[in-house]
């Protein structure tokens, strides 16, 4: 989680683009890589297989939404401000069914990893939450599948639109997960984005159960002018005070992109219907110098020497030869009067 005290100060100060770099589109063995939809920076070694890794460089774990979802580890060499990357090979998620899958988010909670799988239709590719376990240092295997409630499954007059979520997954205290759609569900107002709570329950038999609970407070959904047809939420990051940062992506043909970061207060985790939660602040990331592209993944980056938190971003190249695989690092700008973490 990011310390709220290390956000931009004042909020209007915004963010600084520290660097952005391209990653190869082929692995060392010639395997296609791309389609990055989620990321996690791993700096602690969780098990014996990871502890044996020499040098113990931080690893950037990337999740791809390829037709067969895979993870890719990028070893962070060089320095924080001048990184060099050593890429591993794509590691397909083991044990997935033969039906199409679309991994959009990955987080840790209750001793396991969890992945949100995007819906195409309710029969061959439903919206699901997947329980995963590490099978090796940077590869995963499927343990259980938990279909989202019927209200979320694609249908003629309700549920998710095809390829529109669940898109974001957030680990909360108390073995809870927060899921978010990419765009409003068919039955919802066009200005509201639905959220869903998943409670992870440990049983005496050591088999995990999940209970889904509706959340009565949606997020305010306000596309940029011109991006209405292709606007959506792509990722969330929790803040220590209970609020969160949200990454929104927009597109307009033939080649115009938007990337907007918003700061939201804490959302009530109850079923009581309330007005849509509005952002406290928002920032145009393309205006910072970020390459106009399909920025989908966001995660907490390393701390800078002056104490500031950072944000890592990665884009989804759609395996399109005209797009690139990119990663970027942002840091909040803070005035001297703000104290700890100032630039």
């Amino acid at each position: 989680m990011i310390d709220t005290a290390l956000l931009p100060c004042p909020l209007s100060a915004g963010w600084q683009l520290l660097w952005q770099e391209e990653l190869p589109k082929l692995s060392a063995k010639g395997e296609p890589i791309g389609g990055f939809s989620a990321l996690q920076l791993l700096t602690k070694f969780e098990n014996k297989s990871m502890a044996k890794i020499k040098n113990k460089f931080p690893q950037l774990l990337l999740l791809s939404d390829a037709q067969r979802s895979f993870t890719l580890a990028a070893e962070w060499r060089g320095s924080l401000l001048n990184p060099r990357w050593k890429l591993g090979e794509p590691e397909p998620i083991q044990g997935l069914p033969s039906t199409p899958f679309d991994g959009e988010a990955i987080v840790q909670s209750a001793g396991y990893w969890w992945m949100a799988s995007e819906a195409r239709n309710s029969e061959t590719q439903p919206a699901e939450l997947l329980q995963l376990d590490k099978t090796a240092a940077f590869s995963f295997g499927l343990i259980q599948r938990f279909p989202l409630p019927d209200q979320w499954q694609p249908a003629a007059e309700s549920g998710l639109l095809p390829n529109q979520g669940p898109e974001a997954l957030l680990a909360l205290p108390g073995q809870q997960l927060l899921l978010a759609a990419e765009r409003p569900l068919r039955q919802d107002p066009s200005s509201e984005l639905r959220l869903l709570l998943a409670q992870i329950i440990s049983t005496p038999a050591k088999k995990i159960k999940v209970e889904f609970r509706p959340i009565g407070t949606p997020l305010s959904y306000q596309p940029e002018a011109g991006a209405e047809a292709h606007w959506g939420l792509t990722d969330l990051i929790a803040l220590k005070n209970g609020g969160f940062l949200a990454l929104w992506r927009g597109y307009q043909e033939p080649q115009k992109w938007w990337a907007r970061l918003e700061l939201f207060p804490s959302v009530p985790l109850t079923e009581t219907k309330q007005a849509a939660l509005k952002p406290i602040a928002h920032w145009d990331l393309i205006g910072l110098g970020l390459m106009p592209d399909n920025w989908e993944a966001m995660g907490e980056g390393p701390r800078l020497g002056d104490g500031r938190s950072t944000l890592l971003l990665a884009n989804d190249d759609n395996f399109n030869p005209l797009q690139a695989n990119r990663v970027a690092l942002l840091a909040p700008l803070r005035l001297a009067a703000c104290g700890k973490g100032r630039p």
Side-chain angles (χ1 to χ4, degrees), residues 83-94:
R84 292 182 292 107
W85 304 99
K86 181 181 179 182
L87 301 187
E89 291 295 319
E91 298 279 358
I93 307 295
Q94 300 299 312

Side-chain angles (χ1 to χ4, degrees), residues 232-312:
L233 178 74
T234 65
D235 218 333
L236 297 170
I237 288 186
L239 302 175
K240 287 186 177 179
N241 74 333
F244 55 90
L245 293 169
L247 179 64
W248 302 82
R249 177 270 329 277
Y251 173 72
Q252 182 185 49
E253 295 182 352
Q255 197 64 21
K256 183 174 176 60
W257 295 94
W258 287 263
R260 188 168 78 198
L261 186 65
E262 292 186 342
L263 170 64
F264 281 90
S266 178
V267 59
L269 301 180
T270 67
E271 298 182 28
T272 304
K273 181 64 177 176
Q274 298 189 42
L277 200 65
K278 295 185 178 181
I280 300 169
H282 62 86
W283 302 276
D284 171 21
L285 301 186
I286 303 298
L288 296 181
L290 204 62
M291 288 293 294
D293 211 327
N294 186 23
W295 295 95
E296 278 204 14
M298 175 174 65
E300 185 175 358
R303 282 286 181 92
L304 297 176
D306 59 21
R308 286 182 291 166
S309 298
T310 61
L311 288 182
L312 278 163

Side-chain angles (χ1 to χ4, degrees), residues 318-337:
N318 299 305
F319 293 95
N320 183 338
L322 301 180
Q323 292 177 256
N325 290 325
R326 294 189 171 95
V327 290
L329 188 69
L330 307 180
L333 291 171
R334 297 176 59 82
L335 300 182

Side-chain angles (χ1 to χ4, degrees), residues 173-235:
Q175 297 191 171
Q176 294 179 321
L177 301 172
L178 182 69
L179 295 97
E182 181 176 341
R183 293 170 60 89
L185 275 59
R186 292 182 188 272
Q187 68 267 39
D188 291 341
S190 60
S191 61
E192 296 182 0
L193 190 75
R194 187 180 291 224
L195 302 173
L196 179 67
L197 190 69
Q199 178 67 59
I200 302 169
I201 301 172
S202 301
T203 68
K206 296 184 178 180
K207 185 174 183 179
I208 293 293
K209 293 184 178 180
V210 170
E211 289 185 358
F212 292 107
R213 302 171 186 171
I215 292 179
T217 304
L219 297 185
S220 176
Y221 180 86
Q222 300 294 332
E224 293 279 359
E228 294 87 352
H230 302 286
W231 180 265
L233 178 74
T234 65
D235 218 333

Side-chain angles (χ1 to χ4, degrees), residues 13 44 283 315:
K44 296 180 180 180
W283 302 276
N315 77 312

Side-chain angles (χ1 to χ4, degrees), residues 17-39:
L17 176 61
L18 298 177
W19 50 255
Q20 58 184 323
E21 293 196 343
E22 289 191 18
L23 298 179
K25 293 176 76 71
L26 293 174
S27 72
K29 294 182 179 180
E31 294 292 327
I33 55 178
F36 301 134
S37 56
L39 65 84

